[in-house]
Amino acid sequence: MVRRAESAATMKSDVPMPSTWYAVTMSPVGINVPRADGSSKVRGDAQYVDDIRPAGCLYGATARSPRAHARILEIRKDPNYNWNGITLITSDSIPAQNVVYLMTEDQPALAESIVRHVEEPVALVAAESRDRVLEAVQHVEVITEDLPAIIDPRESVDNEIKIYGEDNIFKKISIDKGGQAEGGIVVEGEYTVGHQEQLYIEPQGMIAIPREDGGLTFVGSMQCPFYIEKALAPMLGHKRMNVIQAATGGGFGGKEEYPSMLAAHAALLAIATGKPIKMIYRRDEDLRATTKRHPSIIKIRSVVDEQGCLQQWDADILMDGGAYNTLTPVVLSRAILHLTGPYRCPHQHLTGRA
């Protein structure tokens, strides 16, 4: 759709836009297009999720697994704690499927009988204040019995313990081009990268507000609002939801898929209490519990001719996908597709496994 030139005068903006952008090219190339939230952030009046408090809002918190792989024996409330005014729910409160749907339906909103990673959500608590809910969740004990855990991805593909499918592999991608270079200089090595925390300035946060039609409105810090509708529809059993992205204090990939998990938890508490629920992670919880950039073990063998031009590139990437698939196939595809950069290379043999 091309805007008419006269419509520019009717548009409200803190920064005037050149009429030629609307009437002629519709292209931002060569034009300083202002950020939609730039002015409010500079003025200091941008509304981040923790600045928003709907009427009657309660606060939510998450009780988590202390173990990497274990059977849940009991979720125990401290009998000596005052539970008056506190709501506690488990997977029994999930209205439809116990799943947060990303690329596959393998990750539960709340673990039922088995936990598959440290800090996996097991139960949810709501209270009238943040201090009260953070205190209450410390009085929820998750009692478990350990099961075998695979920590090293190198062990995962060869281990007799099969936790995910027949081979513990979420995704495999290969690119084969050309054959074998003759002669040349060989440079090869093995490189490892660890977990990388995106460390956005604003921690994860989400609000779920019940609607009269039985649906929910979500307001949160996120990068991909449309993910939330897809992720929560199987769990809720409907799509009566609308999603509003609040001013977001950084994401860097860390707020692509994880806000769907937080939205699921806020939604379950909002349904259980009939009240708006706000969940804001403290920095320590955000560091411990949210998804990270994938650790990887990367083997690269390059063959170059006497002029230093690439003739062959062999590579193997072994990526630690963690307990659930999440967006791992996307990350693996980026790694393989971008591995050779912009360089021309006639012989390529690239394999990636997660």
Side-chain angles (χ1 to χ4, degrees):
M1 182 181 72
V2 178
R3 297 185 187 274
R4 295 177 299 170
E6 58 267 32
S7 67
T10 66
M11 295 187 67
K12 295 181 179 180
S13 173
D14 294 330
V15 181
M17 298 290 287
S19 61
T20 55
W21 190 79
Y22 299 95
V24 183
T25 64
M26 275 295 286
S27 172
V29 176
I31 294 174
N32 184 19
V33 179
R35 287 177 59 107
D37 59 357
S39 297
S40 60
K41 285 183 174 179
V42 171
R43 290 194 304 265
D45 57 16
Q47 292 291 293
Y48 295 88
V49 63
D50 205 18
D51 296 320
I52 302 166
R53 191 177 193 277
C57 181
L58 302 177
Y59 291 84
T62 311
R64 301 181 178 277
S65 164
R67 309 300 296 168
H69 188 212
R71 184 174 290 107
I72 300 172
L73 301 180
E74 185 181 355
I75 300 171
R76 182 182 297 168
K77 294 166 65 175
D78 182 352
N80 298 315
Y81 183 70
N82 178 15
W83 292 96
N84 186 39
I86 304 291
T87 299
L88 172 67
I89 64 172
T90 65
S91 61
D92 293 338
S93 297
I94 292 174
Q97 293 178 249
N98 185 8
V99 64
V100 177
Y101 179 35
L102 295 168
M103 299 189 75
T104 48
E105 295 186 337
D106 63 330
Q107 183 169 215
L110 293 170
E112 293 183 22
S113 58
I114 302 292
V115 293
R116 292 180 172 84
H117 66 84
V118 173
E119 305 296 336
E120 181 161 12
V122 174
L124 301 169
V125 178
E128 73 281 358
S129 71
R130 184 171 295 158
D131 288 345
R132 180 93 161 100
V133 79
L134 291 176
E135 178 185 73
V137 79
Q138 297 301 315
H139 292 269
V140 179
E141 185 179 5
V142 181
I143 301 171
T144 61
E145 176 184 65
D146 276 358
L147 296 171
I150 302 173
I151 306 301
D152 188 328
R154 285 168 291 204
E155 293 182 12
S156 181
V157 291
D158 299 321
N159 204 300
E160 293 181 0
I161 302 169
K162 302 305 178 188
I163 293 176
Y164 187 91
E166 295 182 359
D167 54 11
N168 292 334
I169 294 177
F170 287 124
K171 184 70 175 179
K172 183 176 180 179
I173 301 175
S174 295
I175 295 177
D176 279 301
K177 175 184 176 183
Q180 300 294 321
E182 295 183 4
I185 301 166
V186 176
V187 181
E188 59 187 335
E190 178 174 306
Y191 314 93
T192 59
V193 294
H195 280 96
Q196 296 177 53
E197 163 61 41
Q198 295 87 357
L199 207 68
Y200 27 75
I201 296 175
E202 175 203 29
Q204 301 272 355
M206 188 68 61
I207 298 171
I209 306 169
R211 300 192 327 213
E212 292 183 0
D213 66 352
L216 292 156
T217 294
F218 296 96
V219 182
S221 181
M222 67 189 83
Q223 293 175 251
C224 306
F226 287 97
Y227 280 24
I228 289 178
E229 181 192 41
K230 175 184 175 182
L232 268 59
M235 186 194 79
L236 297 174
H238 64 76
K239 290 187 177 182
R240 296 190 303 276
M241 62 186 101
N242 58 306
V243 181
I244 301 167
Q245 180 178 0
T248 297
F252 319 114
K255 291 180 182 173
E256 286 188 66
E257 49 90 1
Y258 196 83
S260 295
M261 178 64 74
L262 196 51
H265 295 164
L268 291 172
L269 285 172
I271 293 168
T273 62
K275 301 284 186 67
I277 296 290
K278 179 191 284 192
M279 299 188 74
I280 307 291
Y281 283 178
R282 287 173 28 145
R283 178 63 69 185
D284 60 340
E285 182 177 21
D286 203 313
L287 287 167
R288 287 184 287 107
T290 63
T291 47
K292 315 298 177 196
R293 291 173 180 162
H294 294 59
S296 299
I297 301 161
I298 306 161
K299 296 178 182 178
I300 297 177
R301 177 180 180 271
S302 305
V303 181
V304 300
D305 61 20
E306 295 296 333
Q307 288 72 45
C309 295
L310 276 168
Q311 297 302 310
Q312 182 170 333
W313 208 325
D314 303 328
D316 178 80
I317 296 178
L318 183 59
M319 187 174 284
D320 185 350
Y324 299 109
N325 193 35
T326 60
L327 293 181
T328 294
V330 176
V331 178
L332 183 64
S333 71
R334 295 290 186 273
I336 291 295
L337 293 172
H338 295 186
L339 182 64
T340 56
Y343 301 108
R344 183 185 298 112
C345 183
H347 308 291
Q348 299 179 28
H349 308 289
L350 317 175
T351 299
R353 294 166 295 162

